[in-house]
């Protein structure tokens, strides 16, 4: 769908996106909590609270509305989805108790599966697949660690290769690794 | 009449008055006046010893007129009236002079001016009371019966409540059954109670209550008489079926060959010419629709009870009641002018009331939601809220208050029994203000009803379907949605023919045609006319709960009104003082706001129950044949003269002040201890429409330099159009006084609302300055006016 075209034709161009979100979240969140997105009254508390919304084009209220209307493609393609800091401020404050942040996270998963993900997130994912850390340990970090009197290498996958193995088994079993590498390759 | 023996009593109010007004000087001055036998001051006149002082003086000096200068009469007049009454003083022989709120409290720092003003006002009161005649309130028996017009849920509730109090009720309903709109619904928000289950027992109670007499197919034709004793003519349309005999077997209905559109089903279904609107109808009897009946006689032949009379005729009856309750409810606004909604152009665009019938198991489709166009399946429904409400362009300016909720109700109910039915509600603002209403809305959201913010702009037919164009204002983008059925929620407007009924009842309607409340906040179920009350949607859109609460209120009001058995008739009324002068020209009839004046044997007759004593008719009479009890011509002239003659003030301004709203505002200026010039001297009048040109000229002749008129606004004041007439008259007097060499700027008219009290200071200061700049009126001019006035009275 051409996302610049303003007209929305209900049903012809929309689908029951909320049902999909509920299904996606079914294993993690109780249905009666997640389905509160149906009761969103577009009051704007979430967007008004959002630290990312103040400096980027990420608009959480609009995403909730688009989800209600069933504009699935538009939501998944929205690059701004990745600007949520997952600070949970909006979710804390929503008067209808909509699980905004959790919903955004579920939508991100769906976007990732559909292949809509930002390059920096892919790079971070590759780091994680390779080292078990999303942010690599740089020399200056080691220096700092030494200065404050802890071991230069942290007691994580970097110290315990068997732990790294576990991580790698997981990312392979879930198909995460394959997907990330494929997406990186495609650019 | 016995010679006046006046007592003047001035209260110090513990310094509140005496710190500014020199009460000793007042007493000394007053005691020198003719007819004043006693003049005393005291710390608190309203205290027991103060009252005792007055009573003792009456006894010792055989006083027959009392003037008390103290706080506003709104404070203690009743109490003083009672006490002097115990000494045999008629209320008309008591005058209260307001020297606190309208003197000492507003002229602090101007003790001399305040003292002079107090003396002048008291002198005016003494002159007025000297010219008073005793007045006695009348009594009128009240007819212990109530007429309730309209048998919807509001009328039913009111009727039952009044009947429970043991008072006779006549319930008049224009349809063949009571029940009103509620009888058409399956369930009601927000409880989703079964409407029939809660309504029909009440309808049954109406039928069974021995105190209630029910008239259906009935219409109020005329109302005569006065509050407490109304004579009402009721027209009864022929029913064709004897209610007493009919047992509701329906044999007639089965043989009737005529089919016509069912109005009860909002035109969606068919019915026979002999029919019963719905099985639980009250009265429980069939009815013939004579507009479509061909008088074939088949039904009459079949009726086992011989209940049918095809030659039934219209009848008229007359009843006598003390009070009336109006509960005629509403209808929906006709949307034919909204081409964009295609109502009446496409069969699948229906109103919410039609939807109530369509989804009702007792309705034309037995509850099956089908497309009216082809009977096809309905998968998707769109609701259009505010289809004419909140629209000053083609619709109604107000919110109809229940549409958001009933649309939600209908959607919820349908989703309950039709799985997968997709319902979209298009709204401007979702208004769910009411107990449990927001929760009701939220529940509908959870149940999957979809809401779109943005008023529908257009409906485009697409075969049997309809494309709805609107904006989703949350996204700021246009949307299009295709429905099998579109439900319009039109404005709720007053019941048909309310204009005619209001004329018969002599009650005003508001700008939207709803019955105007006596006070929208504090007296919401009383109309502007005594003895007539209103409840339910006829006073404005509302839900059932509020309609019922109002009905309870209206019933209580009516009961209260009737329980007095005898109505006190205040004596301050207009009367034909010089009958031989009246030639029945009818000028007075034109101005009377209560239609109290009529012509009988070539003279006017003023109904003392209807007359509210505004005084508007008195200047209207070109023959000077009318007068007002309590503020007669003589009293008014004497008061004017008393205030002005002998006053030592340099500039004198008289202010005629309407006694309720404007006077209260003026008191509030005093309570706030604001300050204005002491040149202003107030004469309270029921309405400034009481004043003739003669009074004004006389005041100028006797020493006034400027005259003010402070009048209540038409809609807030107690006397309706009399307040408007006042303004008109004063504007004319401005021209008239120029003929007597008095500049028109010496008259000032202001409309005063109670909250205006702060502004009054500015008004007084401005006028005082204007008059000071003009200077006093020359003596020659005054003498000339006096000469002309006496010439006029001679001829
Ligand atoms: C589609 C729709 C659904 C609604 N659903 C709900 C709901 O679920 N819950 C809720 O709380 N409210 C609901 N309402 C509002 C509800 O209908 C009103 O609050 C209620 O009907 C008001 O009752 P009433 O007696 O004032 O008026 P009405 O019900 O209109 O009754 C007035 C009666 O007076 C009669 N009458 C009219 N003129 C005359 C005359 N000149 N002489 C004699 N009789 C006369 C009429 O025939 C009628 O019987 C709904 C409204 C609509 C339009
Ligand atoms: S705060 Fe909650 S209800 Fe308000 S717009 Fe955001 S999600 Fe919707
Ligand atoms: S046939 Fe007679 S008794 Fe039976 S319903 Fe008709 S009118 Fe009533
Ligand atoms: S109740 Fe709702 S739909 Fe009806 S006029 Fe008010 S806002 Fe509009
Ligand atoms: S105009 Fe006023 S005073 Fe005169 S009859 Fe009518 S109500 Fe009474």
């Amino acid at each position: 769908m051409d996302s610049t075209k303003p007209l929305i034709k209900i049903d012809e161009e929309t689908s029951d996106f909320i049902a999909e979100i509920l299904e996606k979240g079914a294993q993690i969140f109780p249905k009666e909590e997640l389905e509160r997105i149906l009761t969103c009254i577009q009051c704007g508390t979430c967007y008004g609270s959002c630290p990312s919304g103040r400096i980027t084009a990420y608009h959480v209220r609009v995403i909730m509305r688009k989800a209600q209307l069933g504009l699935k493609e538009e939501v998944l393609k929205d690059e701004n989805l990745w600007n949520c800091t997952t600070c949970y401020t909006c979710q804390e404050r929503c008067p209808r108790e909509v699980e905004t942040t959790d919903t955004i996270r579920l939508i991100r998963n769906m976007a990732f599966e559909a292949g809509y993900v930002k390059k920096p997130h892919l790079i971070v994912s590759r780091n994680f697949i390779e080292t078990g850390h999303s942010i690599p340990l740089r020399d200056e970090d080691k220096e700092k660690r030494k200065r404050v009197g802890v071991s230069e290498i942290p007691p994580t996958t970097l110290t315990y290769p068997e732990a790294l193995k576990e991580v790698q088994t997981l990312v392979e079993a879930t198909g995460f690794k394959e997907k990330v590498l494929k997406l990186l390759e495609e650019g | 009449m016995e010679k006046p023996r006046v007592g003047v009593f001035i209260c110090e109010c513990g310094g509140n008055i005496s710190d500014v007004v020199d009460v000793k000087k007042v007493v000394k001055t007053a005691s020198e006046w003719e007819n004043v036998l006693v003049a005393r001051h005291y710390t608190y006149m309203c205290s027991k010893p103060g009252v005792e002082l007055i009573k003792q003086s009456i006894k010792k000096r055989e006083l027959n007129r009392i003037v008390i200068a103290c706080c506003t009469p709104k404070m203690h007049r009743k109490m003083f009236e009672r006490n002097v009454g115990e000494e045999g003083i008629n209320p008309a022989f008591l005058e209260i002079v307001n020297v606190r709120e309208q003197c000492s409290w507003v002229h602090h720092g101007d003790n001399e001016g305040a003292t002079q003003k107090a003396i002048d006002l008291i002198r005016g009161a003494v002159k007025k009371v000297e010219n008073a005649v005793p007045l006695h309130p009348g009594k009128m028996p009240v007819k212990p019966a109530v007429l309730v017009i309209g048998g919807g849920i509001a009328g039913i509730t009111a009727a039952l409540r009044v009947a429970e109090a043991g008072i006779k009720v006549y319930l008049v309903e224009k349809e063949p059954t009571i029940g009103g709109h509620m009888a058409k619904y399956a369930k009601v928000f927000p409880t989703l109670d079964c409407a029939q289950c809660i309504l029909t027992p009440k309808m049954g109670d109406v039928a069974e209550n021995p105190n209630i007499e029910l008239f259906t197919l009935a219409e109020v034709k005329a109302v005569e008489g006065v509050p407490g004793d109304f004579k009402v003519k009721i027209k009864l349309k022929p029913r064709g079926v004897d209610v007493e005999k009919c047992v509701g077997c329906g044999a007639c209905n089965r043989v009737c060959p005529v089919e016509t559109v069912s109005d009860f089903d909002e035109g969606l279904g068919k019915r026979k010419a002999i029919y019963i609107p719905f099985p639980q109808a009250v009265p429980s009897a069939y009815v013939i629709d004579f507009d479509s009946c061909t008088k074939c006689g088949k039904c009459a032949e079949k009726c086992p009870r011989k209940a049918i009379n095809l030659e039934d005729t219209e009848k008229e009856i007359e009843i006598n009641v003390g009070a009336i309750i109006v509960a005629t409810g509403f209808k929906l606004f006709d949307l034919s002018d909204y081409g964009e909604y295609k109502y009446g152009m496409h069969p699948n665009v229906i109103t919410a009331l039609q939807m109530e019938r369509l989804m009702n198991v007792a309705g034309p489709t037995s509850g099956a939601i089908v497309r009216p166009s082809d009977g096809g399946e309905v998968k998707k429904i769109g609701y259009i809220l505010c289809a004419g409400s909140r629209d000053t362009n083609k619709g109604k300016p107000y919110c109809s208050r229940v549409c958001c909720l009933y649309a939600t109700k209908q959607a919820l109910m349908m989703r309950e029994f039709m799985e997968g039915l997709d319902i979209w509600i298009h709204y401007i603002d979702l208004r769910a203000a009411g107990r449990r209403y927001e929760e009701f809305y939220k529940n509908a959201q959870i149940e999957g009803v979809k809401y779109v913010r943005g008023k529908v702009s257009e409906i485009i037919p697409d075969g049997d379907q309809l494309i709805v164009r609107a904006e989703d204002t949350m996204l700021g983008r246009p949307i299009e949605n295709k429905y099998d059925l579109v439900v319009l929620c039109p404005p709720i407007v007053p019941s048909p023919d309310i204009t005619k009924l209001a004329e018969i009842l002599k009650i005003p309607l508001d700008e939207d045609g709803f019955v105007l409340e006596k006070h929208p906040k504090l007296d919401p179920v009383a109309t502007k006319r005594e003895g007539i009350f209103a409840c339910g949607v006829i006073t404005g859109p509302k839900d059932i709960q509020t309609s019922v609460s109002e009905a309870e209120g209206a019933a209580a009001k009516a009961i209260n009104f009737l329980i007095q058995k005898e109505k006190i008739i205040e004596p301050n009324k207009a009367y034909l003082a010089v009958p031989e002068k009246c030639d029945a020209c009818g000028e007075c009839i034109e101005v009377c706001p209560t239609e109290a004046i009529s012509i009988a044997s070539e003279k006017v007759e003023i109904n003392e129950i209807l007359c509210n004593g505004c005084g508007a008719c008195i200047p209207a009479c070109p023959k000077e044949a009318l007068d007002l009890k309590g503020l007669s011509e003589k009293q008014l002239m004497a008061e004017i003269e008393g205030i002005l003659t002998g006053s030592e003030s340099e500039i004198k301004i008289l202010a005629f002040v309407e006694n309720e709203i404007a006077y209260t505002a003026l008191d509030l200026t005093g309570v706030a201890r604001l300050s204005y010039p002491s040149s202003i001297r107030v004469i309270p009048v029921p309405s400034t429409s009481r004043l003739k040109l003669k009074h004004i000229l006389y005041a100028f002749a006797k020493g006034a330099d400027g005259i003010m008129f402070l009048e209540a606004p038409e809609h807030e004041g107690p006397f309706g159009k009399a307040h408007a007439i006042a303004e008109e008259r004063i504007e004319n007097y401005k021209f008239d006084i120029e003929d007597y060499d008095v500049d028109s700027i010496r008259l000032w008219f202001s409309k005063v609302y109670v909250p205006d009290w702060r502004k009054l200071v500015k008004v007084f200061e401005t006028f005082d300055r204007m008059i000071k700049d003009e200077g006093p009126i020359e003596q020659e001019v005054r003498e000339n006016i006096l000469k002309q006035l006496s010439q006029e009275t001679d001829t």
Side-chain angles (χ1 to χ4, degrees), chain B residues 325-341:
Chain B
I325 296 176
V326 186
T328 54
F330 68 97
K331 62 174 185 181
L332 291 183
F333 180 74
D334 179 9
L335 288 178
S336 327
D337 271 355
Y338 281 78
E340 61 267 46
Y341 292 156

Side-chain angles (χ1 to χ4, degrees), chain B residues 753-779:
Chain B
Y753 294 78
V754 172
D756 283 351
W757 53 270
R758 215 175 266 284
K759 274 191 267 172
L760 283 174
V761 172
K762 269 256 136 22
V763 170
F764 289 147
E765 281 172 351
T766 309
F767 192 61
D768 178 72
R769 204 172 321 114
M770 275 166 59
I771 297 302
K772 284 207 173 109
D773 289 350
E774 283 290 304
I777 293 178
E778 285 159 35
Q779 202 48 40

Side-chain angles (χ1 to χ4, degrees), chain B residues 46 153 166 317 327 341 371-372 447 489 511 515 541 549 614 736 788:
Chain B
C46 60
I153 186 60
I317 54 159
Y341 292 156
R371 281 201 300 234
E447 293 302 327
C489 303
E511 63 279 19
V515 168
S549 312
C614 67
D736 299 338
Q788 293 195 45

Side-chain angles (χ1 to χ4, degrees), chain B residues 549-704:
Chain B
S549 312
E550 283 192 356
E552 305 268 5
K557 282 241 156 194
I559 295 167
N560 257 355
F561 182 71
L562 299 182
I563 219 159
Q564 44 178 343
K565 294 203 172 67
E566 275 187 332
K567 217 176 86 176
I568 304 286
I569 306 160
E570 292 298 334
N572 301 26
K573 304 294 168 87
Y575 70 109
L576 184 56
V578 203
E580 53 286 7
K581 281 192 186 170
C582 173
D583 63 359
C585 69
E587 296 282 343
C588 52
I589 300 180
E590 292 294 307
V591 298
C592 176
T594 62
E595 299 182 34
I597 314 177
S598 56
I599 294 180
S601 49
E602 291 177 37
K603 298 263 175 254
V604 294
E605 201 175 75
I606 301 181
N607 184 311
E608 60 169 352
I609 301 168
L610 287 178
C611 170
N612 58 23
C614 67
C617 54
I618 293 158
C621 177
K623 307 281 169 7
E624 299 217 56
L626 301 177
D627 207 349
L628 186 67
K629 290 184 190 158
L631 186 62
S632 67
E633 288 296 289
K634 245 173 126 181
Q635 283 177 290
L636 192 52
M637 296 291 260
E639 187 173 11
I640 293 170
E641 191 198 346
I643 290 178
L644 296 167
T645 316
S647 172
E648 284 161 22
S649 287
E650 179 195 346
I651 287 284
K652 278 157 290 191
I653 295 172
L654 275 190
F656 291 100
V657 177
E658 176 275 325
N659 201 9
E660 222 172 283
I661 304 239
Y663 196 90
T664 302
L666 211 53
D667 275 352
L668 288 173
T669 316
V671 171
R673 310 292 206 278
L674 302 182
S675 160
Y676 55 79
S678 61
S679 55
I680 316 286
R681 283 144 170 72
V682 168
I683 297 183
V685 288
S687 148
T688 57
S689 63
R690 163 75 182 88
L691 297 159
K692 296 178 180 172
L693 179 62
K694 183 174 100 179
H695 303 134
I696 290 155
L697 291 171
Y698 189 63
F700 282 130
K702 287 290 167 182

Side-chain angles (χ1 to χ4, degrees), chain B residues 507-529:
Chain B
I507 53 171
L509 303 177
D510 69 13
E511 63 279 19
D512 298 312
F514 292 104
V515 168
L516 190 65
E517 312 94 328
K518 185 156 180 208
H519 189 282
K521 293 268 151 217
L522 301 182
D523 215 347
V525 297
T527 70
K528 289 272 182 187
R529 189 164 180 211

Side-chain angles (χ1 to χ4, degrees), chain A residues 10-28:
Chain A
I10 301 290
D11 287 346
E12 277 177 45
E13 298 165 356
T14 60
S15 61
D16 198 347
F17 187 28
I18 291 203
E20 280 184 63
I21 295 171
L22 294 186
E23 200 185 301
K24 186 87 197 155
Q27 286 172 4
I28 322 166

Side-chain angles (χ1 to χ4, degrees), chain B residues 388-409:
Chain B
S389 293
R390 308 172 71 194
D391 177 354
T392 53
N393 188 352
K394 284 183 286 186
K396 294 288 163 187
Y398 51 84
C399 165
S400 292
R401 210 170 137 181
V402 286
C403 333
C404 293
L405 272 298
Y406 72 58
T408 298
K409 166 191 80 171

Side-chain angles (χ1 to χ4, degrees), chain A residues 40-46 61 64 94-96 98 100:
Chain A
C40 166
I41 41 174
Q42 293 286 293
C43 69
T45 310
C46 49
R61 172 183 62 78
M64 294 300 123
C94 169
R96 290 283 214 201
V98 176
T100 41

